[in-house]
């Protein structure tokens, strides 16, 4: 009987626990050669699983597990030079409440980012990377991001940022029927709005 992984988006679990997986790893070199890619897929169509695939492939802390995860897949025959060479930071926007005021959303977003950074520091500490100089700013997660980028630079491995469930979050922001919904939307995405500022910091962090 085929073990079909319905509702499972953990790439490692699927490929080490005998679940059926339609091999998509041949696309990894194509993604590396492409400056920008756009994938338009409905919900439950494997977007989170693709991110999990990339997380397992590029994570420097999973270098020793490469054969057990990818050994039966196409990419194992000719892995790219970037295999297992990044720190992985993953944000899941399904954990952020998009229904409140802009200030409520800001607190939820900053809280999630800080929790992800704390988890990042713990995971890589166990992998032998000392990131103790990283500063967590409870009031401003943008400072936490900048501090994390600074603390990882000494190791020479870039951070690979994966953002999941942003589409659902953004759709709720745009479509939620609340009073002054237009003003709420503009406060988040226009000029120096919360989301625009967040991605400015992300972009600035790629410099160098």
């Amino acid at each position: 009987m085929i073990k079909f992984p319905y509702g499972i988006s953990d790439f490692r679990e699927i490929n080490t626990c005998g679940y059926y997986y339609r091999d998509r790893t041949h696309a990894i070199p194509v993604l590396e050669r492409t400056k920008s890619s756009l994938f338009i897929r409905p919900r439950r169509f494997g977007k989170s699983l693709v991110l999990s695939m990339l997380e397992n492939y590029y994570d420097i802390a999973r270098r020793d597990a490469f054969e057990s995860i990818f050994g039966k897949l196409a990419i194992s025959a000719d892995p790219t030079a970037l295999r297992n060479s990044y720190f992985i930071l993953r944000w899941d926007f399904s954990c952020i409440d998009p229904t409140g005021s802009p200030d409520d959303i800001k607190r939820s977003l900053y809280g999630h980012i800080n929790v992800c950074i704390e988890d990042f520091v713990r995971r890589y500490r166990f992998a032998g990377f000392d990131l103790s100089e990283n500063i967590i700013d409870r009031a401003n997660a943008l400072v936490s991001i900048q501090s994390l980028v600074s603390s990882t630079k000494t190791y020479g491995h870039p951070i690979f940022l994966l953002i999941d469930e942003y589409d659902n979050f953004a759709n709720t922001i745009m479509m939620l029927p609340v009073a002054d919904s237009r003003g709420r939307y503009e406060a988040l995405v226009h000029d120096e709005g919360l989301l625009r500022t967040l991605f400015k910091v992300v972009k600035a962090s790629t410099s160098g």
Side-chain angles (χ1 to χ4, degrees), residues 142-162:
L142 304 183
V143 173
S144 304
I145 296 170
Q146 293 167 321
S147 177
L148 180 66
V149 172
S150 177
S151 65
T152 57
K153 281 185 176 179
T154 56
Y155 288 105
H157 298 288
I159 295 175
F160 198 134
L161 175 61
L162 300 169

Side-chain angles (χ1 to χ4, degrees), residues 166 173 184-196:
Y166 185 79
I173 292 290
R184 176 176 175 271
Y185 174 77
E186 291 182 353
L188 292 169
V189 302
H190 284 195
D191 299 326
E192 298 306 313
L194 171 63
L195 296 176
R196 185 163 182 169

Side-chain angles (χ1 to χ4, degrees), residues 52-132:
S52 183
M53 175 184 74
L54 297 177
E55 178 179 4
N56 280 274
Y57 183 77
Y58 289 111
D59 190 355
I60 190 172
R62 306 185 199 205
R63 178 179 291 167
D64 294 339
F66 180 82
E67 187 60 30
S68 65
I69 301 173
F70 291 92
K72 298 179 181 179
L73 303 176
I75 193 67
S76 66
D78 189 21
T80 66
L82 295 178
R83 183 200 106 182
N84 299 119
S85 60
Y86 289 90
F87 292 113
I88 301 294
L89 177 62
R90 185 164 180 169
W91 298 341
D92 185 343
F93 272 65
S94 69
C95 298
I96 302 164
D97 184 1
T99 62
S101 69
D103 285 340
D104 293 332
I105 296 172
K106 180 178 181 178
R107 281 190 292 270
S108 183
L109 174 64
Y110 280 8
H112 177 66
I113 290 174
N114 276 328
V115 166
C116 290
I117 291 176
E118 288 175 323
D119 177 68
F120 179 105
V121 172
R122 283 193 296 268
R123 284 188 294 109
Y124 287 108
R125 181 185 300 129
F126 283 116
F129 298 95
D130 181 9
L131 303 173
S132 57

